[in-house]
Amino acid sequence: MRVLVVEDEARLAKQLANAIADAGYAVDGASDGARADFLAQTERYDAVVLDLGLPKVDGLTLLRRWRDAGLAMPVLVLTARGSWHEKVHGIDGGADDYVAKPFRMEEVLARLRALIRRSSGQVAAELRCGPVALDPRGAKVSVHGLPVRLTSHEFRVLSYLMHHRGRVVSQAELSDHIYAEAADRDSNTVEVFIARLRRKIGSAAIETVRGLGYRMDCDRAP
């Protein structure tokens, strides 16, 4: 899963990016509204963390522009403007959730997990597919209750498939959601991650749909 952090305060932006990356997400950053608009319009994100007070283009203008363009990714607004009428403006402008500064990082991460989960139609905090369980709260995976250790990229691949279980996901889509903008992307590495995952969670858990991609098939899971 991939998140865009839009924050012009360098220290806070770094803290957010590090915490979100440690939670198992690929992270891109933007320090002004123009850069954030470019990234949101050209890349695919599972969520955006957005400060409202930005140079060049303010956050509320960005929100309205993205929603007018049909961009549906969930947006969590962070702002020092915490009055109720400012929250109403933000939510009416297209925000999905709202956290006032100062905040606890744990709250931001919890709200981010909830937004991503709900945007993919999942309701439970822990995702399950047969005996495979993935808990985004601790980036933990288990099979038949036994913990399985994954690399960060393996976890991102499995997390994306689990959030979209039952749907065919192409290699290109997986690549878009597991790598940050600056990362070298090689579609062949997706095949490598899938092969490693099958060895760790069971070969039948991830179905290959010839010519289309991969599907997390909960009925086939071991």
Side-chain angles (χ1 to χ4, degrees), residues 165-182:
R165 58 187 183 269
R167 178 169 75 78
V168 177
V169 178
S170 70
Q171 279 195 9
E173 183 178 346
L174 271 174
S175 183
D176 283 343
H177 288 271
I178 65 172
Y179 289 115
E181 182 202 16

Side-chain angles (χ1 to χ4, degrees), residues 20-103:
I20 293 170
D22 288 346
Y25 301 95
V27 183
D28 288 335
S31 58
D32 64 65
R35 174 68 176 161
D37 193 29
F38 172 78
L39 287 174
Q41 303 269 7
T42 56
E43 302 289 337
R44 297 184 181 184
Y45 292 103
D46 297 291
V48 176
V49 177
L50 177 66
D51 183 26
L52 288 187
L54 295 169
K56 297 186 180 179
V57 183
D58 69 88
L60 198 54
T61 298
L62 280 179
L63 261 175
R64 290 171 175 154
R65 187 178 296 175
W66 292 345
R67 295 321 189 200
D68 288 345
L71 298 179
M73 69 283 192
V75 175
L76 173 62
V77 165
L78 300 179
T79 183
R81 309 169 190 171
S83 66
W84 69 267
H85 55 86
E86 287 167 329
K87 292 180 182 178
V88 169
H89 285 313
I91 292 170
D92 283 346
D96 297 275
D97 202 355
Y98 209 107
V99 176
K101 297 178 181 177
F103 54 80

Side-chain angles (χ1 to χ4, degrees), residues 69-146:
L71 298 179
M73 69 283 192
V75 175
L76 173 62
V77 165
L78 300 179
T79 183
R81 309 169 190 171
S83 66
W84 69 267
H85 55 86
E86 287 167 329
K87 292 180 182 178
V88 169
H89 285 313
I91 292 170
D92 283 346
D96 297 275
D97 202 355
Y98 209 107
V99 176
K101 297 178 181 177
F103 54 80
R104 296 280 301 187
M105 195 65 74
E106 291 86 350
E107 181 182 2
V108 172
L109 292 175
R111 290 178 181 271
L112 196 57
R113 286 192 297 269
L115 289 177
I116 291 173
R117 189 173 67 239
R118 290 172 190 153
S119 71
S120 58
Q122 311 298 330
V123 294
E126 182 181 81
L127 306 179
R128 285 191 164 274
C129 186
V132 182
L134 184 146
D135 190 344
R137 291 169 294 188
K140 296 177 181 175
V141 173
S142 63
V143 179
H144 292 295
L146 299 176

